[in-house]
Amino acid sequence: MTKFELFLLAMVCLVPLCMIIFGYIFSNRPPKKVGSGLGYRTTMSSLNEETWRFAHQYFGKSWFSLGWLTLVLTVGAMWLNSKQDPDWLGEYAQILLMIQILPFFVPIFLTEYALRKNFYKDGRRKKGTSGSNSSRKLKRR
């Protein structure tokens, strides 16, 4: 591989690597204070400590999983096209980066859906969705 190909590979791997790292951090060590500087902050996730913890665990697991999937697909796509013309490869890398936006943002919608499925708008947990069961299920995955 040329230096240019290695540079492009490093650039297209930045998004998935950030998803993996922050996904791991959010799912295992969410910020302690609700609404603190770095974290998954939405109206629903910031209602109370339980919604905050649930949102970070759910979002973190989603980002971690999608980050690995995106990384594998990205490296594979770059490897399959590594013998192409450098100009074409540069444009291909830009397209890959644009495609990576989808798995980057999809977990937001999934997390908000899960929050609304498990909590009322005032932050109380819905009946039949016990806190300990949901937390254990999230941690095991």
Side-chain angles (χ1 to χ4, degrees):
M1 285 187 107
T2 66
K3 287 182 180 180
F4 180 67
E5 290 169 340
L6 287 173
F7 171 76
L8 286 179
L9 181 62
M11 293 301 104
V12 296
C13 288
L14 283 176
V15 170
L17 288 173
C18 285
M19 290 173 67
I20 292 166
I21 293 166
F22 284 104
Y24 180 82
I25 291 169
F26 285 169
S27 63
N28 294 304
R29 295 178 184 234
K32 295 195 187 314
K33 293 182 182 178
V34 175
S36 63
L38 180 65
Y40 179 80
R41 292 186 306 171
T42 63
T43 304
M44 192 73 178
S45 70
S46 300
L47 289 174
N48 59 44
E49 196 69 37
E50 191 176 14
T51 58
W52 181 255
R53 195 171 34 259
F54 178 89
H56 277 83
Q57 287 177 341
Y58 193 93
F59 182 78
K61 295 285 182 190
S62 298
W63 240 18
F64 186 79
S65 301
L66 281 173
W68 277 110
L69 178 64
T70 305
L71 182 65
V72 168
L73 292 175
T74 298
V75 170
M78 289 297 287
W79 179 75
L80 288 173
N81 292 288
S82 63
K83 300 300 177 203
Q84 298 290 335
D85 175 60
D87 289 335
W88 185 90
L89 194 59
E91 290 177 21
Y92 185 72
Q94 289 176 348
I95 292 168
L96 279 178
L97 285 168
M98 287 186 267
I99 293 170
Q100 288 176 351
I101 297 298
L102 185 63
F104 189 82
F105 285 110
V106 164
I108 295 170
F109 300 106
L110 297 175
T111 303
E112 288 303 306
Y113 176 77
L115 280 167
R116 281 167 177 65
K117 187 176 172 183
N118 288 281
F119 295 93
Y120 292 108
K121 288 185 178 182
D122 64 358
R124 290 179 295 122
R125 186 173 279 280
K126 291 183 177 179
K127 292 189 189 317
T129 59
S130 76
S132 59
N133 279 345
S134 296
S135 295
R136 258 188 266 135
K137 285 179 187 174
L138 286 171
K139 286 184 180 181
R140 273 191 255 159
R141 288 186 188 167

